[in-house]
Amino acid sequence: MRRRGCLHSLIIWAAVGLIGAGFWQYENNIIAAEPFSVPSERLPAAFDGLRIAVVSDLHGKTFGPGNETLLDAVEAAESDLIAITGDLADETCSAEQVTAMVDTAAALDTIAPAYYISGNHEWVMDGTWDFYQRLEDGGVRVLHNEYEVLERDGQQIVLAGVDDPNGPWDQKTPETLLEEIRAAHGDVYTVLLAHRNEDLPRWAALGVDVVLCGHAHGGVIRLPFVGGLLGTDRQLFPEFTAGLFTENRTSMVVSRGLGNSGVPFRLFNRPHIPVVSLETVSQP
């Protein structure tokens, strides 16, 4: 009888272990693509429905051989552009991981035009500028406090990208970049790629229309009805860790990211690809 009870307990614990392992796999390795709609009266009609997939904070992580699971998820999103918003690699990555990230970015660019901006971690890794050059050689558009004008049917919007503050101390400021854009193109609808998630008031003051970012890792652990638990500086219950936030005419979409840094796990916080759809709203 005692042996039967021990066997029964062993089976229960084995089942609990399998369920736990499955849940851990799900939370840390199964990608969630989440749609976000960003309406604006300022968006030119030619760009109505433009879709942008946000790939952020991989930190050298791969999802399947050649990152094929990630690539499949991005392709399934049927986006027109791909925004790689920093921390694609970091200072802990091996040379092989860095190469894998370069290859992943190049593969993303075959799905849709891919634009990259730096995160805080790329600036402290070995071979930072070589990494950026390798991305460009693979076809990715690296925006170092720069912008591109996108045109459709004679109408224009601007896609701009700012380097992370961990970059050179004398780098161009976002304020200067926006001044250059306005001087050349007037008060044009502007989508900004910026790694960090805490600057919504700044972007709103500058009149940016859409900001796409990451950095917060969703708060690492997400609690129901509360949100992210940990900030990047290990503060409790930080703001702007995931989702869509608005201030004045500015909409900011924050990715929960895909990989890990520091805390090597996620809980109730699956790897995340926001799929942002820009929508034109007629003025009343």
Side-chain angles (χ1 to χ4, degrees), residues 8 22 38 132 227 241:
H8 186 255
V38 180
Y132 298 152
T241 58

Side-chain angles (χ1 to χ4, degrees), residues 99-224:
T99 295
M101 294 303 96
V102 171
D103 292 344
T104 294
L108 288 169
D109 189 63
T110 67
I111 297 171
Y115 293 82
Y116 164 91
I117 51 99
S118 64
N120 53 304
H121 281 272
E122 281 107 343
W123 289 107
V124 293
M125 61 187 278
D126 291 334
T128 295
W129 288 104
D130 178 65
F131 177 67
Y132 298 152
Q133 185 61 55
R134 292 172 69 186
L135 291 175
E136 291 185 336
D137 291 344
V140 177
R141 298 143 187 84
V142 177
L143 297 174
H144 290 299
N145 304 304
E146 298 169 306
Y147 70 93
E148 283 195 9
V149 177
L150 307 182
E151 295 192 11
R152 279 185 175 183
D153 299 333
Q155 296 181 316
Q156 297 180 339
I157 65 172
V158 161
L159 179 65
V162 294
D163 273 324
D164 187 82
N166 261 18
W169 67 269
D170 59 346
Q171 66 179 309
K172 184 187 299 180
T173 67
E175 285 76 10
T176 298
L177 177 61
L178 265 295
E179 287 174 5
E180 291 176 355
I181 292 170
R182 302 271 164 69
H185 305 284
D187 191 17
V188 63
Y189 184 97
T190 302
V191 178
L192 181 71
L193 311 186
H195 178 63
R196 303 202 187 205
N197 62 303
E198 63 266 8
D199 288 332
L200 178 58
R202 183 184 193 182
W203 308 133
L206 289 173
V208 177
D209 293 282
V210 179
V211 182
L212 307 178
C213 56
H215 186 59
H217 293 219
V220 183
I221 297 169
R222 294 191 67 78
L223 302 178

Side-chain angles (χ1 to χ4, degrees), residues 33-94:
E34 182 178 6
F36 291 94
S37 175
V38 180
S40 174
E41 297 176 351
R42 288 172 37 79
L43 179 69
F47 291 89
D48 183 40
L50 183 79
R51 291 164 63 87
I52 307 173
V54 183
V55 175
S56 194
D57 297 276
L58 259 171
H59 290 278
K61 183 178 176 65
T62 54
F63 294 84
N67 242 330
E68 61 184 13
T69 302
L70 170 61
L71 297 173
D72 288 345
V74 174
E75 187 166 20
E78 297 182 337
S79 295
D80 301 289
L81 303 173
I82 298 168
I84 306 173
T85 55
D87 286 355
L88 181 62
D90 66 29
E91 69 274 22
T92 67
C93 287
S94 66

Side-chain angles (χ1 to χ4, degrees), residues 56-57 59 85-87 119-121 164 194-199 212-222 227-235 237-243 245 252-261 263 265-266 269 272:
S56 194
D57 297 276
H59 290 278
T85 55
D87 286 355
N120 53 304
H121 281 272
D164 187 82
H195 178 63
R196 303 202 187 205
N197 62 303
E198 63 266 8
D199 288 332
L212 307 178
C213 56
H215 186 59
H217 293 219
V220 183
I221 297 169
R222 294 191 67 78
L229 177 62
L230 296 173
T232 53
D233 296 322
R234 301 299 178 258
Q235 72 272 35
F237 308 116
E239 294 185 289
F240 309 132
T241 58
F245 306 90
M252 182 174 77
V253 177
V254 182
S255 170
R256 300 196 307 267
L258 290 154
N260 301 314
S261 175
V263 181
F265 67 89
R266 294 167 169 265
N269 182 24
H272 189 218

